[in-house]
Amino acid sequence: MATMKLQVPDALEKEHDETVRLIAAKLYESGKLTLGQAAEMCNMPKWDFAEILVNYGVHYFDLSATADLDEYRKSAEK
């Protein structure tokens, strides 16, 4: 995983972990990260991260599983 430097207001310094979780949750919601990647970004187990998503207004929905199912359905129609 790469490291990025992000400038944030001083008020967020004490909220480092919370800020990282919020960013990871929103990146997951937008489809930029998988659940596992977002959890890794927060140094959390995948299922623990899935449980906290609701705190950020994000609902757990495994988009990769849906994509796999769609691909399977398409191949079955042939």
Side-chain angles (χ1 to χ4, degrees):
M1 187 163 276
T3 300
M4 296 177 76
K5 185 176 179 179
L6 178 66
Q7 290 184 321
V8 297
D10 291 338
L12 291 179
E13 184 177 2
K14 293 179 183 176
E15 302 294 329
H16 175 272
D17 292 346
E18 185 71 19
T19 302
V20 171
R21 288 181 189 132
L22 172 64
I23 293 168
K26 293 303 180 178
L27 288 171
Y28 169 74
E29 180 180 42
S30 69
K32 303 287 185 192
L33 295 178
T34 65
L35 183 67
Q37 290 169 328
E40 181 181 356
M41 185 175 162
C42 299
N43 294 316
M44 297 179 73
K46 184 191 238 184
W47 302 118
D48 289 349
F49 182 75
E51 289 178 7
I52 67 157
L53 285 173
V54 70
N55 298 339
Y56 305 100
V58 177
H59 299 284
Y60 170 68
F61 188 73
D62 191 343
L63 297 176
S64 61
T66 302
D68 290 343
L69 183 57
D70 288 343
E71 186 176 318
Y72 171 77
R73 286 181 182 151
K74 287 178 185 177
S75 67
E77 291 173 356
K78 293 180 181 179

